[in-house]
Amino acid sequence: MKTSTELNRPTPPATSEQERPIAWLHTNDALTGGSSVRAAAFVDTGDTNHGRGADGSQDDLGRRISGEAATLLTALRDAEADLERGRWPYIRITVPDTNSHTNTDAKTKTKTKTKTSTSTSTSLDTDTDTDAKSTIERGYDCLPDWWPARRGVIATLPHTVRLEMARRAAHWRPNWAELLKEDIRRDGAPARLCQVEPELPHISTPHAHARVQIRLRVRVQIRTRLRARVRVAGAGVVAEPAS
């Protein structure tokens, strides 16, 4: 899942569900490096290990997101859902620091831009006074490279991901989705998903074996002659030079 790539899917259209979490982050979230960043992984209500009776999200530290932030993220995910393409398991929202609060009433003119990246992303200009650019990045088919790897924190929730893939049309499931099958432990991974390393050439050919045997015989002969010289010298006899 980490080494996979995103399938080619259309960018979700601009909606009010996108504007609301951006406005909430700008007002409520702590700023980091001049911007406010919130990354979240979806947790399905049917997840036997992490579900809590309702759909939700957890942050990149494995902590359950609660309150209004959780409600806004769930609403955004539902609004962008597609019957065939499914829904995103991962999302990251970045809101830059500005001096004035985001204006989200009906008089605010919102401009929508799109850009292409590994994960589908949408840029929204949500502050007409400062022209602040906020971004929404989504991970549908792989673990995004912006999702931090933390020791002791589960980056992927297998049961949640399994439920998500089961709801999608077959042609919108990445290749690794077959590894989520319940019988994978019994039957093993499909052969086409197994990476086979190329076999190295075998060096034990008849000629190579013969060369090794010759080297060994020469070494034995040299050792035998050296030992003979030592024995003769010890007996006080001058040995003839070896031919």
Side-chain angles (χ1 to χ4, degrees):
M1 186 176 183
K2 179 66 174 177
T3 58
S4 183
T5 57
E6 292 289 329
L7 301 177
N8 187 17
R9 61 179 70 239
T11 303
T15 63
S16 59
E17 284 81 7
Q18 294 172 4
E19 299 174 19
R20 289 168 188 152
I22 289 175
W24 186 92
L25 282 173
H26 185 76
T27 304
N28 298 279
D29 217 29
L31 297 177
T32 303
S35 62
S36 178
V37 182
R38 175 62 65 95
F42 175 70
V43 183
D44 196 287
T45 182
D47 193 312
T48 55
N49 297 320
H50 302 276
R52 298 184 181 179
D55 288 347
S57 302
Q58 66 180 31
D59 64 14
D60 52 10
L61 293 176
R63 301 171 301 190
R64 187 82 172 197
I65 299 175
S66 59
E68 187 177 2
T71 301
L72 293 174
L73 289 174
T74 299
L76 174 59
R77 190 169 187 267
D78 291 341
E80 296 181 346
D82 184 88
L83 290 177
E84 285 198 349
R85 298 189 296 270
R87 302 182 292 178
W88 42 260
Y90 300 95
I91 190 168
R92 182 172 72 168
I93 304 175
T94 304
V95 179
D97 185 17
T98 58
N99 295 325
S100 58
H101 292 301
T102 303
N103 184 5
T104 56
D105 60 31
K107 295 182 181 180
T108 301
K109 295 181 180 180
T110 303
K111 295 181 292 180
T112 303
K113 301 178 182 178
T114 60
K115 62 182 180 180
T116 304
S117 63
T118 302
S119 56
T120 306
S121 37
T122 303
S123 298
L124 297 176
D125 291 341
T126 55
D127 193 318
T128 55
D129 295 331
T130 59
D131 198 31
K133 182 184 292 185
S134 301
T135 61
I136 299 179
E137 300 167 274
R138 307 163 182 83
Y140 290 87
D141 310 304
C142 65
L143 185 65
D145 55 6
W146 42 259
W147 188 266
R150 302 184 186 277
R151 180 175 297 180
V153 178
I154 299 176
T156 58
L157 306 180
H159 197 180
T160 288
V161 176
R162 184 182 298 115
L163 293 171
E164 166 60 26
M165 296 302 159
R167 298 186 182 106
R168 296 184 185 182
H171 58 282
W172 282 107
R173 299 170 190 162
N175 289 337
W176 54 261
E178 293 188 41
L179 298 175
L180 297 169
K181 292 181 179 180
E182 297 284 359
D183 56 0
I184 192 72
R185 294 183 179 180
R186 184 189 71 237
D187 301 334
R192 66 184 185 84
L193 294 180
C194 298
Q195 182 178 359
V196 179
E197 298 293 339
E199 185 178 356
L200 296 176
H202 191 57
I203 63 173
S204 295
T205 60
H207 296 291
H209 183 70
R211 287 195 295 268
V212 172
Q213 294 299 320
I214 292 173
R215 292 193 188 101
L216 290 176
R217 285 198 295 269
V218 170
R219 290 178 183 175
V220 171
Q221 291 174 1
I222 293 174
R223 290 176 183 173
T224 302
R225 290 181 180 181
L226 289 175
R227 289 173 181 171
R229 288 184 181 183
V230 171
R231 286 197 298 268
V232 171
V237 180
V238 178
E240 294 181 358
S243 56

